């Protein structure tokens, strides 16, 4: 009771291949969960299931005590930021943020615009309101995508490798924005290989391996784990790539 996200015995398969094996997870409001693990370990599948983007074979996911549909179906309480921004190229930055507000939340145009200006200020991109995404750097596009997700006021914000297509300095500015949200108490699930960034503000780290949570704990616990050689090898590899 009282958990914002409650995943119970979630099993997810693609055809005959099972990618999540009876996985359970509870997340409280205000937690910042860093999700790490090798490519193919099931990180995206897990967060996509929580975001309602995938049908679920067996098990249950509750958001704020309400079960999400087995057949999938997005939930306004859950927002998602993807690796490749997914901004609409033929809309301005401002329109990218106001459009879902008008169409989904039926906001009045002036209210939507006021909110978009406020959110762009928050991600330090006020001056880009009337520009098109093609004129922005990757880091700026990702900050617009974050502003767009925040516009829906999600209780849970999910990031799936938000910086993996960015150069290191642009990646840094995106993590600055995420770190700011962390200070404001936004509940977040963040899939990333950037362990030096995530360890600064995650309240908990999950290490996924073969579709199961193999280790979890505070960043100090997980990143100093000496027993699990799969985890140690993974950390060594991403630290090397992060240099
Ligand atoms: P990660 O995000 O950790 O790299 P994924 O959740 O994307 O892992 O993938 C987990 C496994 O599921 C992988 O073996 C991947 O090939 C498989 N998979 C992911 N999406 C699909 C799909 N739409 N159809 C078939 N197999 C998929
Ligand atoms: Mg992935």
């Amino acid at each position: 009771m009282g958990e914002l996200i409650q995943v119970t015995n979630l099993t997810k398969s693609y055809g005959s291949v099972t990618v999540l094996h009876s996985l359970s997870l509870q997340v409280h409001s205000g937690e910042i969960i860093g999700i790490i693990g090798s490519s193919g370990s099931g990180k995206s599948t897990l967060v996509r299931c929580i975001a309602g983007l995938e049908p679920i074979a067996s098990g249950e996911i509750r958001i704020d005590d309400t079960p999400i549909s087995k057949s999938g179906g997005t939930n306004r309480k859950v927002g998602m930021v993807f690796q490749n921004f997914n901004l609409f190229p033929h809309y301005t930055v401002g329109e990218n943020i106001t459009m879902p507000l008008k169409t989904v939340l039926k906001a009045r145009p002036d209210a939507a615009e006021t909110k978009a200006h406020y959110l762009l200020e928050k991600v330090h991109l006020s001056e880009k309101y009337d520009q098109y995404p093609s004129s922005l750097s990757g880091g700026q596009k990702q900050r617009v995508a974050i502003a767009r997700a925040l516009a829906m006021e999600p209780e849970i914000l999910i990031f799936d490798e938000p910086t993996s297509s960015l150069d290191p300095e642009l990646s840094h500015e995106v993590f600055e924005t995420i770190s700011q949200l962390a200070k404001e108490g936004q509940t977040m699930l963040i899939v990333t290989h950037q362990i030096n960034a995530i360890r600064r503000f995650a309240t908990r780290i999950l290490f996924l391996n073969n579709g199961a949570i193999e280790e979890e704990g505070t960043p100090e616990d997980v990143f100093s784990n000496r027993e699990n050689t799969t985890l140690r090898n993974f950390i060594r590899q991403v630290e090397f790539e992060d240099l």
Side-chain angles (χ1 to χ4, degrees), residues 40 43-45 160-161 191:
K43 305 179 299 295
S44 294
T45 304
D160 191 0
E161 300 202 32
V191 175

Side-chain angles (χ1 to χ4, degrees), residues 82-85 138-139 142 161-167 170-171 194:
F82 300 91
Q83 179 181 336
N84 292 317
F85 331 123
Q142 193 56 301
E161 300 202 32
T163 60
S164 57
S165 65
L166 303 177
D167 291 337
L170 301 182
S171 167
Q194 296 203 265

Side-chain angles (χ1 to χ4, degrees), residues 61-85:
I61 300 176
R62 286 173 174 262
I63 305 293
D64 241 355
D65 246 1
T66 306
I68 65 172
S69 159
K70 294 262 187 208
S71 53
T74 53
N75 183 325
R76 283 237 305 273
K77 291 182 175 171
V78 186
M80 186 130 175
V81 174
F82 300 91
Q83 179 181 336
N84 292 317
F85 331 123

Side-chain angles (χ1 to χ4, degrees), residues 28-210:
H28 296 285
S29 181
E31 280 197 281
I32 297 144
I33 310 287
I35 303 175
I36 62 170
S38 317
S39 178
S41 58
K43 305 179 299 295
S44 294
T45 304
L46 172 62
V47 295
R48 289 176 59 81
C49 286
I50 293 171
L53 298 172
E54 296 284 345
I56 295 165
S58 79
E60 186 186 59
I61 300 176
R62 286 173 174 262
I63 305 293
D64 241 355
D65 246 1
T66 306
I68 65 172
S69 159
K70 294 262 187 208
S71 53
T74 53
N75 183 325
R76 283 237 305 273
K77 291 182 175 171
V78 186
M80 186 130 175
V81 174
F82 300 91
Q83 179 181 336
N84 292 317
F85 331 123
N86 295 358
L87 298 177
F88 293 109
H90 51 297
Y91 287 118
T92 64
V93 163
E95 287 164 346
N96 263 280
I97 300 172
T98 57
M99 210 187 34
L101 287 173
K102 292 187 222 170
T103 56
V104 182
L105 297 188
K106 312 289 177 212
R108 282 175 35 205
D110 57 337
E113 281 155 28
T114 302
K115 194 168 191 181
H117 280 291
Y118 165 78
L119 288 167
L120 282 177
E121 207 163 291
K122 198 175 164 99
V123 299
H124 307 294
L125 290 172
S126 303
E127 72 286 2
K128 304 293 185 189
Y129 192 95
D130 291 314
Q131 298 196 14
Y132 284 86
S134 56
S135 69
L136 306 183
S137 73
Q140 291 171 335
K141 283 181 196 163
Q142 193 56 301
R143 282 147 59 204
V144 173
I146 293 172
R148 182 180 56 179
L150 288 172
M152 307 304 281
E153 299 179 17
E155 288 189 38
I156 302 152
L157 192 52
I158 298 178
F159 296 85
D160 191 0
E161 300 202 32
T163 60
S164 57
S165 65
L166 303 177
D167 291 337
E169 69 274 20
L170 301 182
S171 167
H172 176 78
E173 71 185 40
V174 170
F175 269 109
E176 282 307 304
T177 299
I178 297 174
S179 158
Q180 183 61 41
L181 297 175
K183 290 194 189 104
E184 294 169 10
Q186 173 75 52
T187 307
M188 294 186 277
L189 306 184
I190 307 163
V191 175
T192 185
H193 289 294
Q194 296 203 265
I195 61 177
N196 289 323
I198 195 68
R199 76 192 315 160
R200 292 191 289 122
F201 52 80
T203 55
R204 186 160 32 130
I205 300 287
L206 310 181
F207 173 61
L208 259 66
N209 192 28
N210 294 325

